[in-house]
Amino acid sequence: MITASVVLFHTPQNLIDTIIRSYRPSAERLLFFVDNTPGMEKSERFMPVAEYSPYIYIYRTGRNPGYGCAHNIAIRESIRIHSEFHIVLNPDLSFEPSVIDALSSYAREHTDVVYMLPEVVDQNGKVQHLCKLLPTPSDLIFRRFFPFLPGAAEKNNRYVLLDSGYDHIMNPPCLSGCFMFMRVSTLEKYNLFFDERFFMYCEDFDLMRRLHRVGKTIYYPYVQITHAHERSSYHSFKMMCHHISSAVKYFNKYGWFKDKERDKMNSGVTI
């Protein structure tokens, strides 16, 4: 069995419909919605959504506890029902249902793989460079605030592994959280969940790092998904503040300028 979760927060119906068509729920492919829209009555458990499909369930938090916290509710449910793989999905994705089959097949053949990300393109078909090294403070600062300075482009190209060509399998320590295909037995064995201190942003960096400690975190470019990436922290002061706050929490957790694990993981990346 495979499970997937999508966090809702005033999410437009057209995005919900698209993710359902893409994932194509079935008896062996359950879909969990966790609704963070405030004002709803809190759920006690996941309930089936009859108007959509018997294989779609919803849990309403009654408030907005944060992105990672909401997905943790679904991850715990996937562990409870003994799912083989769990996928954390952004609501702004579209893909062919066969993508799930291809990833599942590869992961079953390669049991040391604990996480997979397919090729991600934008709505114009342009590849999004979502493989990364573990960030240093300067990586994030120059990328966000000073991309125009001399050397900033080269620094960013190194950070996102641009020289790899994005045309073959890689095992970087940091990958996008827009589509997180994860082995449930690994999550359960090592008690791996999103750190709920991160309300939004960097929670994927943190979980990816901990997954990379115990197995391969793979970029798999032979199947493709489309991500309508809005980069909301670039357009909203509130979201930018959330992003900065999460980055501070991340570096407080792992180290700002001295981080031996970061150095080791980054030096092990081959492109």
Side-chain angles (χ1 to χ4, degrees), residues 245-262:
S245 174
S246 291
V248 169
K249 290 175 183 176
Y250 176 86
F251 291 119
N252 283 345
K253 181 174 181 177
Y254 291 108
W256 287 75
F257 303 105
K258 291 185 178 181
D259 183 346
K260 291 182 179 180
E261 182 179 60
R262 176 178 65 204

Side-chain angles (χ1 to χ4, degrees), residues 147-181:
F148 51 85
L149 290 181
E154 291 78 4
K155 183 176 180 62
N156 185 65
N157 290 348
R158 176 193 58 80
Y159 172 54
V160 300
L161 305 176
L162 192 64
D163 289 344
S164 70
Y166 277 74
D167 59 357
H168 60 279
I169 291 174
M170 294 188 287
N171 180 31
C174 190
L175 290 150
S176 171
C178 70
F179 185 109
M180 303 180 72
F181 183 97

